[in-house]
Amino acid sequence: MSNFARQKEIAIQYGDIVIYFSIKARSVNIEKISIKVHPDCSVAVYAPLIASHDEIIGAVKKRAYWIYRQQCYFERRREYILSQRYVNGENHFYLGRRYRLKISVDARYIPEVKLYRGVLEVRSRMIQPENIKFLLLNWYRARAREVFDRRLDVIITQTHWVQHKPPIRLLSMQTQWGRCSLRGRLTLNPHLVKAPRECIDYVLLHGLCHIAEHHHSERFYRLMKQVMPHWEKVKERLNGLTYFYLNDV
């Protein structure tokens, strides 16, 4: 059985494999040790400032089987999901639906992207994949800004603690769908627009809850349950689709 080897600060032995992990944050505002497995199989541990090294190691060992299962899950998905080549016939996603990529090339075309009847058409003057990718990613960013802004208008009414609509910044990220700054600005991954609306709403609500409570405390999870009672199932669904949406970031 192969090791999930990573250049990390700490490692533990679990059976015949080694689990590498890094301690990402130690803060008085973090109430308990939490562990996150990213789609690239890296493991991050978030711990209270008062947690000892032995307590952190113990928490990772206690959840070693869960960590191993998560890493196996992501490894299996990686095996059969290929990076996009930006050629005719590929599948690309938008709002949770698959669309077949159609590339139309003509020196007279004004470069543009159109969506219709199950087809995502890129009209270009050049057929090179890097050019098709550039046009398509720009289209995704434009659609993302429109969709995120529209969905934010809808769901912000559920968050009575938000006094003003927060600004949105788009940033392509390999392991995150979004984050919220201390000043209340939402940074969102434009590739999130490939996901179903419910998943987009989950990420937006997650950010809005962080405006009230910046850390993943009990209060934060109470707010999440209040605005989206089934948020854990939606999160699990989005995590399961990660490689489809972020396979070429």
Side-chain angles (χ1 to χ4, degrees):
M1 190 179 297
S2 62
N3 292 345
F4 290 102
R6 294 285 185 271
Q7 295 299 318
K8 298 298 182 182
E9 294 84 353
I10 307 172
I12 65 164
Q13 190 78 30
Y14 177 67
D16 56 353
I17 70 165
V18 178
I19 295 176
Y20 295 82
F21 66 94
S22 62
I23 300 174
K24 291 296 185 181
R26 293 179 68 112
S27 170
V28 294
N29 294 314
I30 297 177
E31 298 179 355
K32 60 182 180 180
I33 298 171
S34 63
I35 302 170
K36 182 173 183 178
V37 181
H38 293 294
D40 65 355
C41 291
S42 62
V43 181
V45 178
Y46 301 84
L49 194 60
I50 60 173
S52 68
H53 180 80
D54 288 343
E55 287 175 325
I56 294 173
I57 295 293
V60 175
K61 286 183 176 179
K62 186 177 180 180
R63 301 203 69 191
Y65 179 61
W66 174 83
I67 293 170
Y68 171 69
R69 286 183 59 189
Q70 289 294 106
Q71 289 178 321
C72 287
Y73 170 78
F74 286 128
E75 285 287 346
R76 286 196 301 271
R77 299 197 73 83
R78 184 183 298 176
E79 288 176 2
Y80 66 85
I81 299 175
L82 303 175
S83 294
Q84 300 287 10
R85 294 181 298 144
Y86 297 92
V87 295
N88 271 309
E90 274 187 340
N91 286 322
H92 288 257
F93 289 85
Y94 178 64
L95 294 179
R97 291 187 57 190
R98 293 176 186 263
Y99 291 87
R100 181 174 57 83
L101 181 63
K102 177 182 177 182
I103 301 172
S104 301
V105 180
D106 193 305
R108 298 166 295 179
Y109 279 154
I110 296 175
E112 62 177 341
V113 178
K114 291 186 174 182
L115 189 70
Y116 61 92
R117 295 196 300 276
V119 174
L120 188 59
E121 182 181 11
V122 178
R123 294 187 175 186
S124 174
R125 295 172 181 170
M126 297 177 285
I127 199 170
Q128 288 84 354
E130 59 269 22
N131 185 66
I132 304 302
K133 178 179 179 179
F134 175 79
L135 293 174
L136 199 52
L137 292 184
N138 280 346
W139 180 83
Y140 273 123
R141 287 185 70 88
R143 298 291 79 73
R145 189 165 295 281
E146 292 177 4
V147 171
F148 298 164
D149 189 68
R150 187 167 64 247
R151 295 309 302 165
L152 185 57
D153 284 336
V154 172
I155 67 173
I156 201 170
T157 58
Q158 300 173 235
T159 55
H160 59 84
W161 60 87
V162 179
Q163 302 300 317
H164 305 286
K165 184 178 178 179
I168 291 177
R169 178 175 72 126
L170 298 181
L171 178 67
S172 291
M173 297 176 278
Q174 293 183 334
T175 60
Q176 285 184 294
W177 292 115
R179 57 176 180 249
C180 179
S181 72
L182 289 171
R183 295 184 177 181
R185 181 177 68 176
L186 301 180
T187 297
L188 300 172
N189 195 327
H191 294 275
L192 179 62
V193 79
K194 300 174 184 179
R197 286 183 179 86
E198 186 178 44
C199 295
I200 295 172
D201 288 355
Y202 156 71
V203 175
L204 288 171
L205 287 168
H206 188 278
L208 293 177
C209 286
H210 273 311
I211 291 177
E213 175 55 61
H214 198 67
H215 300 284
H216 288 138
S217 63
E218 290 185 10
R219 181 190 178 210
F220 171 84
Y221 290 117
R222 283 198 304 269
L223 290 174
M224 279 300 300
K225 198 75 173 178
Q226 177 183 318
V227 296
M228 182 177 272
H230 60 301
W231 69 268
E232 290 171 296
K233 291 183 178 180
V234 180
K235 178 185 178 182
E236 184 177 350
R237 180 187 183 192
L238 180 58
N239 287 343
L241 294 168
T242 296
Y243 273 127
F244 288 106
Y245 303 151
L246 297 180
N247 63 344
D248 199 23
V249 177

